[in-house]
Amino acid sequence: MAQLLEDRKDLIIPRKLVKVGVAQYSAVNFNLDKTLDRLETIVKDASSKGVQLLVFPEAFLPGYPHGGDMGAAFGNHAMAGRKIYQIWHESAVEIPGPAITRLSKVAKDNNIFLVVGTIEKEPTSSTLYCTVVFIKDNGEYLGKHRKLMPTNVERLMWGLGDGSTLPIYDSPAGKVGAVICWENYMPLLRTTMYSKGIQIYCAPTADNGDNWQYTMRHIAMEGRCFVLGCNQFTRRYDYPPDTEFPNVISDKDGDRVLCRGGSIIVSPLGEILAGPNYSSEELLIAEIDLNDVIRGKYDLDVVGHYNRPDIFTLYVNEKSNPGIVTKMNQLKCSESDDVKDEQGNSQ
């Protein structure tokens, strides 16, 4: 039997090749316009190398405040934290808005599908959200995913996403979606992505630990999908000086690495195709064969033949959960739950 299988290892199998990339670069932190300039330069470089889908890190527009002194302790909220929040808010992204318009032009001009981590603000609220936006290669804005659960100090400043932004979109590289940073430790969220048929699982992050790559490889093998883990590589001098951005690392130590990257591209069977790089900024590129997704599920499909729906059931509430309810029908838990007025009419 072993010899029979060995004889078949060279079977001719059709290939569906596409180039994907992750942009391990620093933002020009808290400066949205200059970060967009930098993004455009990176996208042009990626496009010239044949990349068809490119992922940017968590909070790339306009940056993630690594080492920021948020001035918070139990019972105390210092002005330093309020000041950083203000400059972060001023440079955050409105959706729709000028930054999205520019991203759309960059995607169209370079014929490349963009998955970009942003800090999002709303015109009617001062709350910030950690968000990923999806821009089609023809420039069309497709939609967004808001991080469901901010981590640690992030909870001081970021609102919670809800189930209405868990999208999967068609792209030149296959069905693409995004799960942000420690959301990837949420098993039911991962299962939701698998159930939607995700093929290109994007994981923008700000995680600075040594074990992140184990998570990326586990997810690739669990979901039998390509995983694109993308992080910034950033130094203290990529941030404003101490007078503008109080930091646990002084601006006098400008070369000090605050986030060391570790971006990675992994195949559906856990093979590392690119990265990780812990020493510099880099555009990581891999040519992938989308047929590997189906071949990977030959022996493991956790939402298919390796699932036990008779035992386990996953319920996902994909209804929007607005912070302020202005109409009674916004209280519906699902699309089928109508709220009636006194005359029995749906509201």
Side-chain angles (χ1 to χ4, degrees), residues 8-15:
R8 295 179 180 181
K9 66 181 176 60
D10 294 323
L11 282 173
I12 297 174
I13 302 174
R15 307 185 75 191

Side-chain angles (χ1 to χ4, degrees), residues 283-347:
L283 174 65
L284 285 81
I285 299 173
E287 184 175 61
I288 66 173
D289 183 356
L290 274 181
N291 288 323
D292 285 344
V293 173
I294 299 299
R295 289 193 283 265
K297 292 182 179 180
Y298 149 71
D299 54 358
L300 180 71
D301 183 351
V302 294
V303 292
H305 62 76
Y306 217 86
N307 183 25
R308 286 295 305 273
D310 56 321
I311 300 174
F312 304 110
T313 301
L314 172 62
Y315 167 74
V316 183
N317 179 6
E318 297 196 75
K319 183 76 171 62
S320 176
N321 186 25
I324 297 178
V325 175
T326 57
K327 295 181 181 179
M328 285 300 293
N329 64 0
Q330 291 178 330
L331 291 173
K332 293 189 298 182
C333 293
S334 69
E335 295 301 327
S336 62
D337 295 334
D338 288 330
V339 177
K340 307 290 186 179
D341 61 19
E342 292 181 357
Q343 285 74 41
N345 299 314
S346 296
Q347 300 185 50

Side-chain angles (χ1 to χ4, degrees), residues 22-35:
V22 295
Q24 180 170 292
Y25 291 91
S26 173
V28 184
N29 289 280
F30 307 125
N31 190 319
L32 181 57
D33 289 337
K34 288 186 177 180
T35 303

Side-chain angles (χ1 to χ4, degrees), residues 122-133:
E122 295 182 318
T124 58
S125 168
S126 295
T127 297
L128 297 177
Y129 296 91
C130 181
T131 299
V132 169
V133 297

Side-chain angles (χ1 to χ4, degrees), residues 119-177:
I119 295 301
E120 177 193 0
K121 64 181 176 182
E122 295 182 318
T124 58
S125 168
S126 295
T127 297
L128 297 177
Y129 296 91
C130 181
T131 299
V132 169
V133 297
F134 300 84
I135 311 291
K136 199 172 178 180
D137 45 334
N138 66 1
E140 178 186 359
Y141 166 73
L142 293 175
K144 67 187 179 185
H145 165 57
R146 279 182 174 175
K147 193 173 186 179
L148 297 180
M149 181 54 67
T151 302
N152 205 335
V153 183
E154 296 169 357
R155 298 185 197 182
L156 291 173
M157 295 177 293
W158 293 352
L160 303 180
D162 59 40
S164 68
T165 65
L166 300 174
I168 298 292
Y169 297 110
D170 289 326
S171 80
K175 294 185 181 298
V176 61

Side-chain angles (χ1 to χ4, degrees), residues 97-338:
I100 299 300
T101 300
R102 185 167 179 192
L103 282 178
S104 295
K105 185 177 187 306
V106 170
K108 183 177 181 180
D109 289 348
N110 293 279
N111 192 33
I112 193 167
F113 192 106
L114 296 179
V115 180
V116 184
T118 71
I119 295 301
E120 177 193 0
K121 64 181 176 182
E122 295 182 318
T124 58
S125 168
S126 295
T127 297
L128 297 177
Y129 296 91
C130 181
T131 299
V132 169
V133 297
F134 300 84
I135 311 291
K136 199 172 178 180
D137 45 334
N138 66 1
E140 178 186 359
Y141 166 73
L142 293 175
K144 67 187 179 185
H145 165 57
R146 279 182 174 175
K147 193 173 186 179
L148 297 180
M149 181 54 67
T151 302
N152 205 335
V153 183
E154 296 169 357
R155 298 185 197 182
L156 291 173
M157 295 177 293
W158 293 352
L160 303 180
D162 59 40
S164 68
T165 65
L166 300 174
I168 298 292
Y169 297 110
D170 289 326
S171 80
K175 294 185 181 298
V176 61
V179 180
I180 306 170
C181 203
W182 276 24
E183 283 188 316
N184 288 281
Y185 294 136
M186 300 173 71
L188 299 185
L189 177 54
R190 299 199 307 267
T191 303
T192 300
M193 292 292 105
Y194 305 151
S195 72
K196 292 172 179 277
I198 193 168
Q199 296 171 303
I200 307 296
Y201 185 114
C202 301
T205 187
D207 189 278
N208 220 356
D210 293 327
N211 298 323
W212 182 249
Q213 285 67 35
Y214 298 119
T215 297
M216 297 293 94
R217 296 184 73 179
H218 170 82
I219 291 171
M221 296 189 69
E222 178 182 70
R224 291 303 201 247
C225 51
F226 289 97
V227 173
L228 280 58
C230 187
N231 198 2
Q232 292 193 48
F233 184 91
T234 188
R235 299 179 185 272
R236 179 63 182 90
Y237 58 59
D238 294 312
Y239 291 85
D242 289 341
T243 53
E244 300 175 28
F245 178 56
N247 199 295
V248 295
I249 306 300
S250 168
D251 58 4
K252 296 180 176 61
D253 195 8
D255 287 335
R256 176 82 170 266
V257 174
L258 300 187
C259 185
R260 61 197 187 103
S263 301
I264 193 170
I265 301 175
V266 189
S267 81
L269 292 180
E271 177 188 3
I272 297 177
L273 304 178
N277 177 356
Y278 292 107
S279 61
S280 66
E281 295 182 317
E282 185 181 4
L283 174 65
L284 285 81
I285 299 173
E287 184 175 61
I288 66 173
D289 183 356
L290 274 181
N291 288 323
D292 285 344
V293 173
I294 299 299
R295 289 193 283 265
K297 292 182 179 180
Y298 149 71
D299 54 358
L300 180 71
D301 183 351
V302 294
V303 292
H305 62 76
Y306 217 86
N307 183 25
R308 286 295 305 273
D310 56 321
I311 300 174
F312 304 110
T313 301
L314 172 62
Y315 167 74
V316 183
N317 179 6
E318 297 196 75
K319 183 76 171 62
S320 176
N321 186 25
I324 297 178
V325 175
T326 57
K327 295 181 181 179
M328 285 300 293
N329 64 0
Q330 291 178 330
L331 291 173
K332 293 189 298 182
C333 293
S334 69
E335 295 301 327
S336 62
D337 295 334
D338 288 330

